[in-house]
């Protein structure tokens, strides 16, 4: 044995002989010696023992015995961690199996824990990403651009911080021509909807949106949005056109009532009979939409491949299905595997596809035509099929279903050769195995799979449509949004899936999350709200980050007002009237209970006021709010004409909720001319005059008043003042102040034009400054100064120097004139007396002006006195 070990040592050294270097000594140490040398090296490292002692000291203060724990860890034996507590005999098979079962459970639990943890962190990361994207999107919307650069964003952010109100922020990103044209096509449908609502008639809004979608979604990749609107049309049972109205009031008899038709069932108790009937209608409508879509696919397939289809001259539905089967399943002279032939025909596939495309009567006729051959293979199938087809809700009685279940279990469930279409028909008729949701070779596409789920839905079993919705929500958007690596290639499919299972709010929110489907999201929300199939949240539940509200208890809700405002703010300045048409739709949810409906009406009022404030002034603005003709008569604006849609019952409510409050917002946002016009339209004449006085008081002090905004205020004030003097309105101190301020403006303009004598004449006519030399009168007028209007008091430093400048200029002009000396001396004396009076008056009110102004007045007075 020793010789073997020696030879082994020799051979091992030979393995590394080619690596040896003669200049290095060899190391011949045992393992114990190597360990001892290692410990010496560690002990020489500075601070090691100190750190260890310090750590032990700190742990000891916390009552932790570190040396004892270290000793326990050193002597820990982990070899028996997963061994049984009691040793198992070699022949104890039951014990071994029990132990293996327990270890499998532990492993399964641990794997499940790891998967749950990984899913949690992945979901947390995705949720954080979505929240960040939503917050970033909201910030850019507030700043005025979705994809703005950093510099622009910071500039807008600073601007918003220094603004007077959030209403003054930018209104949205600049729109491309393609986006604008797309919006305009959809705008027409909304305008027509509101016109019919004003007339009290119904409007096929969904079909109008389908037509708009056909015009704008010409790209085959965007056809899914048109399909979604078609699904909604089937769900709502909305006819494509309304019956003609032959005489006034005929719409009451001729047209169905669409507006809020389903709101009671949808917003009420979900366990009620009406709610269950509505869910059945949703499932039926979605199924019918998928049937129509597939029939179009079949016809296009047959037309595209006529040689393989062998359609011939028979254009019947059954023959087209036969031709489609030839194209799809007949290859190289034979049918695909598992296609069962009955009298040489793929009968089960023909019957299934007739049902799949909604031609159930043709399917029954096909079954009856081959009844004898079918009964020879599947006894009583035709009778069951006839009962199922003729049932209004496609539901067989329990004895029929039990029989189908037994046949299915006996001949098809575990058969590898059963025709998949026969298997699918049995599952559909008997609602068999609802948890197994796929049938190989049958549910090959997303649409096929969805149709099969909807056909299997039973409101009395397995949760009905709500149960299907829970399953689909468990799959999530990624399951339907395209193959791996191509997510987004089927944009809109997930929204269509949510529509089909009655998750309308989630469907709209999913479309809103993607920029290329935002327009469709808004219009789908309006169509749903019109039919009463949209739930809106209360103010307490509304989120600033996303329009969708997901309360912990209760169904989801979508903030229609927030969605509409984010949409219209992009073009509110360009076309306020169209923005208003969308705001009218907010009030569609006014009938929702628990006070939510009233909140929606108030939200609509607030949005109208925002539109008024943000809209560009000019003729279009007056067309929006109304105005006055040159003869003084008032004309109404678009908002007032649509007041019934905003639930404004009378002029008083319209004035209080819209005009006056919008005027206050305009004041806050420094849009004084618009505020004045709004107060005037509301009939609040005293506020108009007060606002004019304040505005004129602000503009008078500005140099020359050359700004366009100042000129607009002055022209507006002059027009209103003429009208009020004619009608004797708003008499009092405010109106007197406006008159004097306008005269001061004329005096300033005359001075700028070099007409100083006119300036002096105007200022004397205003009688703000006593210039007659009577000291007692001057003193009394100075004491009465505090009773003047605040705008006049504030502008003392404007009109005192103005008057003194006029006196000085006229004085200089008279001195060099060629008039008679007596006349000239008399005029100069008069000017000195006026200058002295002004200085006495200014001396008494010296505390109300800056020293520089008073020094300037004194210097001019000295020049006049010389």
């Amino acid at each position: 044995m020793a010789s073997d070990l020696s030879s082994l040592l020799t051979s091992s050294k030979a393995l590394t002989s080619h690596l040896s270097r003669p200049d290095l000594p060899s190391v011949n140490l045992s393992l114990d010696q190597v360990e001892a040398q290692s410990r010496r090296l560690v002990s020489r490292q500075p601070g090691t023992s100190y750190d260890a002692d310090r750590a032990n000291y700190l742990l000891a203060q916390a009552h932790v015995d570190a040396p004892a724990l270290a000793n326990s860890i050193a002597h820990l034996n982990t070899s028996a961690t997963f061994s049984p507590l009691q040793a198992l005999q070699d022949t104890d098979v039951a014990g071994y199996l029990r132990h293996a079962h327990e270890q499998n459970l532990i492993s399964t639990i641990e794997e499940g824990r790891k998967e749950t943890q990984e899913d949690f962190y992945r979901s947390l990361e995705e949720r954080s990403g979505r929240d960040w994207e939503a917050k970033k999107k909201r910030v850019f919307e507030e700043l005025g651009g979705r994809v703005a650069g950093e510099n622009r964003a910071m500039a807008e952010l600073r601007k918003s911080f220094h603004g007077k109100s959030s209403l003054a922020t930018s209104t949205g990103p600049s729109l491309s021509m393609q986006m604008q044209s797309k919006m305009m096509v959809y705008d027409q449908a909304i305008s027509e909807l509101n016109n019919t609502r004003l007339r009290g008639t119904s409007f096929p809004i969904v079909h109008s949106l389908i037509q708009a979608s056909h015009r704008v979604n010409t790209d085959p990749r965007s056809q899914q949005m048109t399909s979604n609107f078609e699904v909604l049309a089937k769900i709502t049972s909305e006819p494509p056109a309304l019956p003609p109205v032959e005489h006034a009031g005929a719409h009451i008899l001729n047209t169905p009532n669409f507006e809020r038709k389903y709101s009671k069932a949808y917003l009420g108790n979900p366990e009620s009979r009406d709610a269950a009937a509505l869910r059945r209608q949703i499932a039926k409508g979605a199924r019918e939409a998928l049937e129509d879509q597939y029939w179009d696919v079949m016809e296009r397939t047959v037309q595209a491949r006529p040689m393989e289809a062998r359609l011939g001259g028979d254009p019947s539905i059954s023959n087209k299905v036969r031709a489609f089967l030839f194209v799809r399943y007949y290859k190289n002279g034979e049918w695909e595997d598992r296609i069962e032939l009955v009298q040489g025909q793929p009968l089960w596939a023909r019957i299934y596809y007739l049902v799949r495309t909604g031609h159930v009567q043709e399917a029954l006729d096909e079954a009856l035509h081959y009844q004898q051959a079918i009964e020879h293979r599947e006894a009583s199938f035709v009778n069951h099929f006839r009962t199922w087809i003729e049932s209004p809700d496609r539901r067989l009685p329990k004895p029929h279903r039990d029989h189908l279940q037994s046949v299915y279990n006996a001949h098809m469930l575990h058969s590898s050769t059963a025709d998949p279409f026969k298997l699918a028909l049995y599952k559909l008729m008997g609602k068999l195995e609802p948890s197994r949701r796929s049938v190989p070779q049958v549910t090959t596409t997303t649409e096929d799979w969805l149709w099969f789920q909807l056909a299997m839905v039973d409101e009395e079993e397995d949760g009905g449509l709500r149960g299907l919705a829970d399953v689909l929500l468990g799959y999530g958007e990624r399951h339907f949004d395209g193959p791996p690596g191509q997510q987004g290639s089927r944009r809109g499919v997930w929204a269509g899936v949510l529509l089909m299972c009655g998750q309308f709010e989630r469907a709209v929110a999913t479309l809103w999350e993607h920029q290329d489907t935002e327009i469709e999201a808004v219009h789908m929300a309006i169509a749903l709200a019109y039919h009463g199939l949209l739930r809106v949240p209360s103010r307490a539940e509304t989120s600033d980050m996303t329009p969708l509200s997901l309360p912990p208890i209760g169904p989801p809700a979508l903030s229609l007002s927030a969605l509409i405002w984010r949409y219209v703010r992009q073009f509110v300045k360009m076309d306020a009237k169209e923005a208003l048409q969308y705001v009218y739709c907010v009030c569609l949810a006014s009938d929702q209970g628990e006070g939510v409906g009233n909140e929606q009406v108030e939200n609509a009022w607030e949005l109208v006021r925002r539109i008024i404030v943000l809209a560009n002034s000019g003729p279009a603005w007056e067309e929006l709010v109304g105005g006055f003709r040159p003869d003084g008569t008032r004309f109404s604006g678009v908002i007032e004409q649509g007041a019934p849609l905003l639930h404004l019952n009378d002029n008083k409510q319209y004035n209080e909720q819209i005009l006056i409050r919008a005027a206050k917002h305009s004041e806050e946002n420094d849009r004084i001319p618009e505020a004045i016009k709004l107060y005037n339209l509301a009939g609040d004449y005293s506020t108009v005059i007060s606002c004019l006085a304040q505005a004129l008081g602000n503009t008078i002090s500005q140099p020359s008043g050359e700004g366009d905004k100042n000129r607009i205020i002055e022209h507006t004030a002059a027009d209103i003042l003429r009208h009020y003097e004619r009608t004797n309105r708003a008499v009092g101190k405010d109106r007197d102040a406006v008159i004097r301020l306008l005269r001061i403006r004329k005096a300033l303009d005359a001075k700028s034009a070099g007409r100083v004598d006119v300036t002096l004449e105007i200022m004397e006519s205003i009688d703000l400054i006593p210039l007659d030399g009577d000291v007692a009168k001057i003193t009394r007028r100075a004491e009465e100064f505090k009773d003047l209007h605040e705008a006049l008091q504030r502008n003392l430093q404007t009109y005192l120097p103005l008057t003194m400048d006029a006196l000085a200029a006229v004085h200089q002009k008279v001195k060099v004139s060629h008039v008679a000396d007596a006349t000239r001396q008399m005029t100069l004396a008069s000017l000195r007396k006026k200058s002295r009076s002004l200085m006495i008056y200014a001396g008494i009110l010296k505390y109300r002006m800056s020293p520089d102004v008073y020094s300037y007045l004194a210097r001019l007075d000295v020049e006049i006195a010389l």
Side-chain angles (χ1 to χ4, degrees):
M1 186 70 179
S3 61
D4 292 339
L5 291 175
S6 299
S7 61
L8 182 62
L9 176 61
T10 304
S11 61
S12 65
K13 289 180 178 179
L15 291 174
T16 60
S17 60
H18 65 285
L19 301 175
S20 63
R21 294 176 56 182
D23 55 330
L24 295 177
S26 60
V27 178
N28 296 312
L29 297 177
S30 65
L31 292 178
D32 292 338
Q33 290 173 324
V34 171
E35 181 183 6
Q37 291 290 349
S38 300
R39 292 186 181 277
R40 288 194 198 97
L41 290 174
V42 171
S43 63
R44 293 175 185 173
Q45 296 299 320
T48 303
S49 59
Y50 171 77
D51 291 340
D53 294 342
R54 186 179 181 185
N56 291 335
Y57 174 75
L58 294 174
L59 290 173
Q61 286 185 329
H63 306 287
V64 177
D65 190 351
L69 291 176
N71 185 52
S72 299
I73 294 172
H75 293 84
L76 178 65
N77 182 12
T78 60
S79 61
T81 301
F82 295 100
S83 300
L85 296 177
Q86 296 180 354
L88 296 175
Q89 300 297 325
D90 293 341
T91 57
D92 189 359
V93 177
Y96 171 77
L97 292 176
R98 183 176 64 255
H99 174 67
H101 177 66
E102 291 174 352
Q103 294 304 312
N104 287 336
L105 288 177
I106 293 172
S107 300
T108 302
I109 292 171
E110 179 62 19
E111 290 176 1
R113 185 192 67 80
K114 289 182 178 179
E115 290 180 0
T116 302
Q117 186 178 13
E118 291 173 358
D119 289 342
F120 169 76
Y121 284 114
R122 184 171 58 254
S123 300
L124 179 62
E125 185 177 358
E126 292 176 356
R127 179 64 182 271
S128 300
R130 285 197 303 269
D131 289 347
W132 165 241
E133 290 298 328
K135 184 177 292 186
K136 185 168 64 174
K137 176 180 176 181
R138 179 66 185 273
V139 168
F140 278 127
E141 285 178 353
E142 291 292 336
L143 297 180
R146 186 183 306 279
V147 196
E150 183 179 358
N151 293 335
R152 177 185 172 191
M154 291 304 296
E156 293 286 350
L157 188 62
R158 286 193 295 268
K159 179 180 177 181
S160 65
F161 283 161
H162 290 88
K164 292 188 177 181
S165 169
S166 61
L167 293 176
T169 57
S170 181
T171 57
S174 57
L175 301 175
S176 64
M177 289 298 296
Q178 181 181 2
M179 189 73 71
Q180 290 185 36
S181 60
K182 186 176 181 180
M183 286 179 167
M184 290 173 65
V185 173
Y186 281 105
D187 286 349
Q188 298 173 9
I190 303 302
S191 298
E192 293 174 7
L193 169 67
N194 288 324
N195 289 335
T196 56
R197 291 174 62 202
L198 282 172
R199 294 196 300 267
T201 59
S202 293
F203 180 72
I205 178 61
V206 182
H207 282 86
S208 181
L209 294 176
I210 291 173
Q211 296 173 5
S213 182
H214 275 300
R215 293 201 295 272
V216 299
N217 293 320
T218 55
D219 187 348
R221 292 175 297 179
S222 59
Q223 290 299 315
Q224 180 62 42
M225 293 312 308
T226 305
S227 300
N228 289 344
F229 283 122
E230 290 171 347
V231 168
L232 185 56
K234 288 290 185 180
I235 288 175
T236 58
S237 300
E238 183 186 277
L242 298 178
V245 178
E246 298 178 357
H247 56 84
H251 63 273
I252 299 175
L253 301 176
N254 291 352
T255 61
N257 182 22
F258 295 161
E259 185 169 347
R260 307 299 289 175
K261 179 180 179 181
Y262 303 108
S263 61
K264 182 178 179 182
Y266 187 74
L267 302 174
N269 183 6
E271 306 300 330
S272 67
R273 183 179 302 176
D274 291 340
L278 176 59
R279 290 193 291 272
R280 292 190 187 95
Q281 178 179 328
I282 293 171
K284 179 175 179 289
R287 191 179 69 242
E288 290 177 351
L290 290 172
E291 291 167 356
D292 291 346
Q293 291 176 16
Y294 201 75
W295 179 248
D296 291 338
V297 171
M298 291 180 65
E299 287 191 316
R300 290 198 303 269
T301 302
V302 171
Q303 292 173 5
R305 301 165 71 177
M307 298 300 294
E308 299 176 50
R310 310 175 191 177
L311 182 62
D314 182 7
S316 65
I317 292 172
S318 180
N319 193 44
K320 287 183 178 179
V321 172
R322 180 197 62 78
F324 174 77
L325 293 176
F326 266 110
V327 174
R328 180 63 65 87
Y329 299 107
Y330 192 75
K331 306 293 181 184
N332 301 322
E334 60 182 13
W335 294 94
E336 289 186 3
D337 293 341
R338 298 183 64 183
I339 299 291
E340 182 180 346
L341 301 180
V342 179
Q343 292 187 356
Q345 297 292 329
L347 188 60
W348 302 113
R350 288 175 65 173
I351 293 175
Y352 173 81
Y353 275 108
L354 286 168
V355 174
R356 172 68 180 86
T357 56
H359 301 101
V360 292
Q361 187 57 50
E362 288 79 359
L364 180 59
D365 294 341
E366 196 83 3
L368 292 174
H369 181 73
Y370 292 94
Q371 183 172 6
Q372 186 175 357
I374 292 174
E375 294 292 340
H376 179 71
R377 297 168 183 257
E378 299 294 340
S380 70
F381 171 84
V382 176
N383 291 331
H384 292 313
F385 189 65
R386 185 206 302 268
T387 305
W388 182 67
I389 292 296
E390 294 175 351
S391 172
D393 55 355
R394 300 273 180 91
R395 193 170 190 273
L396 289 175
K398 191 174 187 305
H400 290 252
R401 296 177 63 182
D402 292 342
H403 181 263
L404 289 173
Q405 183 74 65
S406 62
V407 173
Y408 178 81
N409 291 342
H411 302 293
M412 302 177 200
L413 180 58
H414 301 293
S415 173
S416 60
T417 59
D419 188 302
F421 297 101
K422 179 169 66 174
L423 185 146
L425 287 170
Y426 269 84
K427 283 177 68 70
L428 289 175
M429 289 191 298
K431 303 268 194 288
L432 308 179
E433 293 186 301
S435 59
R436 297 181 65 180
R437 300 182 176 276
S438 298
V439 179
Q441 293 183 258
V442 176
T443 56
T444 55
T445 67
T446 299
E447 290 75 14
D448 290 331
W449 186 86
L450 281 172
W451 178 86
F452 201 84
Q453 310 312 309
L454 293 166
M456 292 280 287
V457 162
D458 190 335
E459 279 303 314
E460 298 181 10
E461 298 179 5
D462 301 312
L465 189 64
R466 289 177 292 179
L468 175 61
D470 292 339
V471 172
L472 294 173
L473 289 172
Y475 290 150
E477 181 175 3
R478 290 187 299 176
H479 189 81
F480 297 92
D481 203 25
Q486 301 180 24
Q487 269 73 26
S489 60
R490 304 191 65 196
R491 184 77 73 217
V493 171
W494 176 236
V497 171
L498 294 172
L499 275 179
M500 293 178 197
C501 62
Q503 295 292 312
F504 302 126
E505 295 83 7
R506 294 180 189 268
V508 174
T510 250
L511 293 175
W512 180 254
E513 289 176 358
H514 306 289
Q515 185 177 355
D516 51 349
T517 55
E518 282 185 354
I519 297 176
E520 286 81 3
V522 173
H523 292 86
M524 182 170 287
I526 291 173
L528 287 165
Y530 181 68
H531 283 280
L533 294 173
L534 192 75
R535 182 178 288 102
V536 297
S538 65
R539 286 176 182 166
E541 297 172 339
T542 302
S543 170
D544 290 336
M545 297 307 303
T546 172
L548 185 66
S549 174
L550 297 172
I553 300 177
L558 187 88
S559 178
L560 183 62
S561 59
L563 196 72
I564 285 177
W565 177 246
R566 293 186 190 181
Y567 179 71
V568 303
R569 67 186 303 165
Q570 303 176 85
F571 57 88
V572 66
K573 281 193 172 183
M574 298 180 293
D575 199 340
K577 288 194 298 182
E578 290 301 331
L580 185 66
Q581 294 295 325
Y582 285 88
V583 173
Y584 286 152
C585 298
V586 174
C587 292
L588 285 170
S590 62
D591 60 347
Q592 190 165 324
E594 299 180 356
V596 177
N598 293 332
E599 290 180 353
Q600 298 308 303
V601 173
E602 293 174 0
N603 289 343
W605 295 347
E606 172 62 23
L607 296 185
V608 171
R609 295 192 289 265
R610 291 187 187 183
I611 290 174
I612 293 173
V613 174
L614 291 173
N616 289 324
S617 58
W621 188 83
E622 291 192 350
E623 187 179 355
L624 189 70
V625 301
F628 289 91
R629 299 182 181 90
D631 60 358
T633 58
R634 184 180 184 277
F635 62 89
S636 61
V638 176
I639 299 175
E640 191 172 0
Q641 294 167 10
L645 299 179
L646 295 170
H647 294 254
L648 296 168
N649 301 320
D650 49 39
N651 286 334
K652 181 181 178 182
Q653 191 177 25
Y654 170 72
N655 291 338
E656 291 177 353
Q657 297 297 334
I658 304 299
L659 295 181
I660 293 178
R661 295 186 64 179
K664 292 178 181 178
H665 288 323
S666 296
E667 278 191 273
E668 294 169 0
N669 287 272
D670 199 25
R671 299 192 62 175
I672 304 302
E674 289 81 2
I676 292 169
K677 291 179 181 179
L678 290 170
Y679 282 127
N680 194 31
L681 287 169
D684 192 354
Y685 306 121
S686 59
T687 304
V688 170
I689 292 296
S690 176
C691 191
L692 278 175
Q694 293 295 331
L696 288 172
N698 294 333
T699 62
I700 291 297
S701 59
Q702 297 178 6
S704 302
E706 294 177 354
D708 292 338
K709 181 178 176 182
N710 297 341
R711 289 301 184 186
I712 292 173
I713 293 175
E714 291 160 13
H715 290 315
T716 302
D719 293 340
I720 290 177
L721 192 60
R722 281 194 298 270
H723 180 64
Y724 283 10
E725 287 176 344
R726 188 166 59 248
T727 56
N728 198 29
R729 288 174 176 164
V731 178
K733 185 165 68 173
D734 287 341
R735 198 174 86 173
D736 293 338
V738 171
I739 294 172
R740 285 177 163 178
L741 288 167
L742 285 175
R743 298 284 290 169
I744 293 173
R745 169 52 58 198
K746 286 186 178 181
L748 288 167
D749 293 341
K751 177 190 173 186
S752 299
R755 301 166 58 193
V756 290
D757 49 348
V758 175
T759 302
L760 183 58
E761 180 182 348
I762 293 174
M763 292 308 300
E764 287 182 308
S765 66
I766 294 175
D767 195 28
L768 273 174
I769 307 169
L771 300 175
D772 56 0
D774 187 344
V775 177
K777 182 178 179 181
I778 294 172
T779 304
R780 186 174 67 255
R781 293 286 298 275
E783 292 174 353
E784 293 173 353
F785 179 81
K786 63 180 182 298
D787 298 327
L788 287 176
H789 193 277
E790 185 271 337
L792 293 173
Q793 295 184 42
R794 181 160 29 98
N795 282 280
L796 176 67
Q797 296 189 125
T798 299
Y799 56 79
L800 276 182
L802 172 64
T803 307
M804 186 61 84
D805 285 340
L807 288 170
V810 173
H811 179 270
Q812 186 63 29
K813 186 177 180 182
V814 172
K815 282 179 67 175
V816 299
S817 64
H818 299 288
V819 298
D821 186 63
T823 304
R824 184 170 61 252
Q825 291 301 326
M826 186 181 303
T827 305
L828 292 175
S830 175
L831 291 173
R832 292 190 193 97
K833 183 175 69 172
K834 292 176 181 179
S835 174
R836 182 81 321 234
S837 300
L838 188 148
M839 282 306 300
I840 296 172
Y841 185 74
I844 300 173
L845 299 176
K846 185 177 180 180
Y847 65 96
R848 287 185 173 270
M849 65 184 72
S850 67
D852 293 340
V853 172
Y854 187 78
S855 298
Y856 178 75
L857 294 175
R859 181 169 57 82
L860 290 182
D861 179 59
V862 171
E863 292 178 0
I864 294 173
L866 293 178

